[in-house]
């Protein structure tokens, strides 16, 4: 059954992102189209998550080539326990912010868990959620300014809700500009002779 659209389900901040399109997208769906929705450039994934949570779609593919974003979604969907424990821990500091920035600058040397945490830290604590931007309040800002968008209890609720839908979410890390690879991956994900799992509409629209 469809429910009210939750436009604040993503733990990531993307002001001006796809959340502005959620109502419009929901209005375009017809009964025969309620299958798979693919976020080819997932980012915060706000649109797809809202549609899945409200029952407009039955399966969501979150794809993003960015190592930090991909690690965060994999962690949230598959095994969020360590991430939730970190959120429950001490409040992040400016030092934590710059450490996270360093992790994201060399993702190949980091564990998926550290990448996920660093992505969350830099996104929540930077201007407009841009991980390469300055921290909120500036380099010499106060702790209160830095944590203006850090709400541990709310973040835990969002992550837990997304994790509860894990059987309906697939996370991939493909280059969405490589169309032939995307086509192959969509067919592999479907895994049926007549494309009944993801649905031909979803596969053709991404292709």
């Amino acid at each position: 059954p469809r429910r009210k659209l939750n436009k604040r389900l993503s733990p990531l901040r993307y002001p001006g992102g796809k959340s502005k399109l959620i109502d419009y997208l929901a209005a375009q769906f017809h009964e025969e189209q309620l299958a798979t929705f693919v976020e080819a450039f997932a980012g915060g994934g706000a649109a797809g998550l809202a549609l899945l949570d409200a029952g407009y779609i039955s399966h969501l593919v979150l794809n993003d080539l960015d190592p930090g974003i991909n690690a965060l979604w994999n962690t949230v969907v598959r095994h969020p326990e360590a991430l939730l424990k970190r959120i429950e821990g001490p409040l992040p500091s400016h030092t934590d912010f710059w450490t996270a920035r360093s992790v994201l600058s060399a993702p190949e040397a980091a564990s998926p868990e550290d990448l996920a945490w660093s992505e969350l830290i830099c996104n929540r604590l930077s201007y407009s959620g841009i991980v390469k931007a300055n921290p909120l309040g500036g380099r010499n800002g106060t702790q209160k300014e830095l944590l203006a968008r850090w709400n541990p209890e709310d973040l835990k609720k969002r992550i837990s809700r997304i994790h509860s839908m894990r059987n309906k979410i697939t996370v991939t890390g493909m280059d969405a500009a490589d169309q032939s690879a995307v086509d192959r991956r969509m067919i592999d994900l479907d895994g049926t002779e007549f494309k009944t799992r993801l649905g031909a509409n979803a596969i053709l629209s991404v292709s």
Side-chain angles (χ1 to χ4, degrees):
R2 299 182 181 185
R3 298 189 299 275
K4 182 178 179 181
L5 290 161
N6 184 352
K7 301 176 184 178
R8 292 182 173 272
L9 187 53
S10 173
L12 295 177
R13 297 172 55 232
Y14 276 82
K18 293 190 286 284
S19 62
K20 306 290 185 182
L21 297 172
I22 292 174
D23 288 326
Y24 171 79
L25 289 171
Q28 309 310 306
F29 280 81
H30 304 293
E31 289 300 323
E32 68 272 15
Q33 295 176 318
L34 303 184
T36 298
F37 186 84
V38 180
E39 291 255 21
F41 303 91
L49 289 169
L51 293 171
L52 183 66
D53 179 63
Y56 281 85
I57 59 176
S58 58
H59 189 79
L60 172 64
V61 178
L62 292 172
N63 178 77
D64 207 294
L65 183 63
D66 181 273
I69 294 174
N70 182 262
L72 179 65
W73 286 128
N74 266 310
T75 298
V76 168
V77 171
R78 297 176 180 175
H79 42 79
E81 295 80 15
L83 182 63
L84 290 170
K85 188 173 182 179
R86 283 191 174 190
I87 293 173
E88 292 172 352
L91 294 174
S93 65
H94 283 83
T95 298
D96 294 323
F97 176 86
W98 293 114
T99 297
R101 176 76 68 80
S102 297
V103 170
L104 293 181
S105 68
E108 66 282 350
S111 67
E113 180 184 321
D114 285 341
L115 270 178
W117 173 247
S118 297
E119 181 67 32
L120 184 64
I121 287 287
C122 288
N123 175 271
R124 299 298 307 184
L125 305 187
S126 65
Y127 281 105
S128 297
I130 302 170
V131 297
K132 293 185 179 181
N134 278 330
L136 291 169
R139 291 173 176 264
N140 300 312
T142 66
Q143 181 79 348
K144 183 178 180 180
E145 291 171 323
L146 177 70
L147 299 178
R149 297 291 183 270
W150 185 260
N151 186 329
E153 291 305 314
D154 185 55
L155 286 172
K156 288 192 299 180
K157 288 179 181 178
R158 296 186 191 195
I159 290 170
S160 295
R161 174 55 186 155
I162 296 169
H163 181 64
S164 74
M165 299 186 289
R166 59 191 176 278
N167 292 332
K168 301 177 182 179
I169 302 175
T170 299
V171 180
T172 58
M174 300 183 62
D175 179 358
D178 186 348
Q179 194 60 64
S180 62
V182 171
D183 290 344
R184 291 193 300 271
R185 181 58 174 159
M186 289 291 288
I187 292 171
D188 289 343
L189 283 174
D190 182 84
T192 64
E193 183 179 357
F194 298 108
K195 302 177 178 58
T196 55
R197 179 168 180 258
L198 297 185
N201 285 337
I203 294 175
L204 289 173
S205 65
V206 174
S207 178

